[in-house]
Amino acid sequence: MTDEEIVILFALTRLDNATSDLDLEDIAALVVRRLTPDQVLDLATRTLATRNELRGAMFESAVEHVLRTVLTARGPVD
């Protein structure tokens, strides 16, 4: 899954849940729940490689990667 695909999936999930009062981490968790187990494992692996850690919870690491990707795409906050 590319970073562009993550951003698009995040945006669509956010639109699907526009009436609810979810924060960005909740939306990222919804994105991860929609993925296949292999995709979740891939995202978790990317997070653990970025943090230089050998272990971590798969779901939470995948959510962290989605959130980091979206925030990076948004750019710096002025």
Side-chain angles (χ1 to χ4, degrees):
M1 175 172 261
T2 65
D3 288 351
E4 292 82 12
E5 291 172 324
I6 292 170
V7 171
I8 290 169
L9 187 54
F10 185 91
L12 291 174
T13 303
R14 193 169 187 188
L15 285 173
D16 286 347
N17 295 284
T19 58
S20 60
D21 205 18
L22 299 173
D23 64 9
L24 296 179
E25 189 171 354
D26 293 334
I27 295 169
L30 289 173
V31 168
V32 172
R33 283 189 183 102
R34 293 180 176 186
L35 302 177
T36 67
D38 287 340
Q39 290 172 318
V40 174
L41 181 60
D42 178 54
L43 295 180
T45 302
R46 291 188 216 174
T47 294
L48 298 176
T50 301
R51 293 190 327 206
N52 292 323
E53 291 182 350
L54 295 176
R55 67 170 114 157
M58 186 170 69
F59 182 82
E60 288 80 7
S61 295
V63 169
E64 181 180 332
H65 182 75
V66 170
L67 194 56
R68 181 181 297 132
T69 301
V70 170
L71 293 176
T72 301
R74 287 177 68 181
V77 175
D78 294 333

